[in-house]
Amino acid sequence: MGMCPEKLRPFIHEFHQSVPITEYPARLAALDLDLAIAPLEDNQFNRCKSNLRLLEFGACGFPVVCSDVAAFQDGLPVTRVKPRFKDWVDAIRMHVNDLDAAARAGDALREAIHRDWMLDEASAREWLASWMPD
């Protein structure tokens, strides 16, 4: 969903154009993915990115294979791989060859996000206290 280089389109099963931000969460969840991949090249621009893509995929309960780059080194239970073709293929095959284990990995990621990344009332009070003067 979103951008896909023309060179890769012959190799993908589905492609979904970008949608308005108000529709994005529902459209992402509706994909009901067995596995999400989040490749990032290790460069200066991507070193400034956040882990938002992992949080989005994880909130939907999708297991994730992602690049082992600074933006994704956040302690979330995902499969991080080095920028080598064999490592990517091995990681993807590991997940798709055992969809029950992949589903458990997606559940673990969703649980970690709900436990550690959601802004509930107690977390909001902590943030407020840290930003407000005594």
Side-chain angles (χ1 to χ4, degrees):
M1 181 183 311
M3 299 183 317
C4 180
E6 287 294 328
K7 289 181 180 180
L8 292 181
R9 289 195 185 173
F11 303 102
I12 62 173
H13 179 70
E14 291 180 32
F15 174 67
H16 302 272
Q17 295 287 343
S18 297
V19 297
I21 192 66
T22 56
E23 297 176 24
Y24 179 74
R27 295 285 291 275
L28 180 64
L31 292 175
D32 194 26
L33 302 175
D34 292 323
L35 178 66
I37 60 170
L40 271 184
E41 184 178 355
D42 188 16
N43 60 36
Q44 187 63 34
F45 178 77
N46 287 337
R47 286 183 204 115
C48 299
K49 288 193 170 199
S50 73
N51 65 347
L52 180 59
R53 187 69 59 215
L54 303 187
L55 297 173
E56 292 171 348
F57 289 147
C60 295
F62 304 151
V64 176
V65 174
C66 66
S67 298
D68 189 10
V69 295
F72 295 155
Q73 294 172 351
D74 50 19
L76 288 171
V78 297
T79 302
R80 292 174 187 80
V81 295
K82 300 292 182 191
R84 292 184 290 265
F85 175 79
K86 182 180 181 340
D87 293 352
W88 277 93
V89 170
D90 289 348
I92 291 168
R93 283 184 176 153
M94 175 187 72
H95 285 281
V96 299
N97 286 334
D98 188 347
L99 293 178
D100 290 336
R104 288 190 299 274
D107 292 343
L109 179 55
R110 182 177 41 239
E111 289 170 18
I113 289 168
H114 282 246
R115 181 185 63 242
D116 301 329
W117 290 84
M118 300 299 284
L119 190 59
D120 57 15
E121 186 174 344
S123 301
R125 289 183 193 280
E126 286 181 40
W127 274 62
L128 182 62
S130 68
W131 283 97
M132 298 301 292
D134 289 333

